[in-house]
């Protein structure tokens, strides 16, 4: 699952917010990373996000196209029944914002 994030004016912020109705999934994600983060300004999580293949910092800021690849995480969802949302908010250099949500429903 790869989403290509585009912003013709250049990306200023790439915010990701994860939500779920499965407490176990929430706890597992929270142990590894915050449930809401900005890949443009990842702070102390920059190296961790980079190590799992996410673009961070200068790989995001000012670019007009950035891949957001969560393919490696999809098999992990199989162990967590419920509805999982990955909301992606892109804010460009002119402060325009676009919000889209990837939703995964896991059933037995």
């Amino acid at each position: 699952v790869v989403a290509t994030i585009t912003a013709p004016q250049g990306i200023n912020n790439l915010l990701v917010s994860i939500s779920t109705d499965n407490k176990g999934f929430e706890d597992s994600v929270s142990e590894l990373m915050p449930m809401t983060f900005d890949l443009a300004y990842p702070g102390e999580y920059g190296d961790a996000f980079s190590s799992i293949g996410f673009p961070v910092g200068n790989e995001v800021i000012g670019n007009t196209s950035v891949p957001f690849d969560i393919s490696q995480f999809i098999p992990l969802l199989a162990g967590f029944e419920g509805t999982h949302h990955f909301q992606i908010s892109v804010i460009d250099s002119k402060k325009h914002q676009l919000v889209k949500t990837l939703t995964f429903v896991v059933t037995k």
Side-chain angles (χ1 to χ4, degrees):
V1 176
V2 180
T4 301
I5 311 301
T6 59
Q9 301 297 322
I11 298 169
N12 192 58
N13 298 88
L14 181 52
L15 307 164
V16 179
S17 180
I18 303 167
S19 61
T20 180
D21 60 5
N22 183 302
K23 181 70 170 141
F25 179 71
E26 181 178 343
D27 291 345
S28 292
V29 171
S30 294
E31 287 179 16
L32 302 172
M33 67 181 75
M35 296 291 282
T36 300
F37 50 90
D38 185 351
L39 290 172
Y41 300 94
E44 66 185 85
Y45 294 97
D47 289 340
F49 290 142
S50 185
S51 74
I52 58 175
F54 288 160
V56 296
N58 291 333
E59 298 170 320
V60 175
I61 300 168
N63 288 293
T64 57
S65 180
V66 173
F68 181 69
D69 185 352
I70 59 171
S71 300
Q72 65 182 332
F73 303 108
I74 299 307
L76 302 175
L77 289 176
F80 299 100
E81 209 173 308
T83 303
H84 315 292
H85 304 281
F86 296 81
Q87 183 182 56
I88 303 168
S89 301
V90 180
I91 302 171
D92 72 12
S93 63
K94 298 200 182 237
K95 305 299 181 207
H96 299 121
Q97 183 173 13
L98 178 64
V99 179
K100 297 286 184 174
T101 303
L102 299 171
T103 300
F104 300 91
V105 178
V106 180
T107 60
K108 277 190 170 181

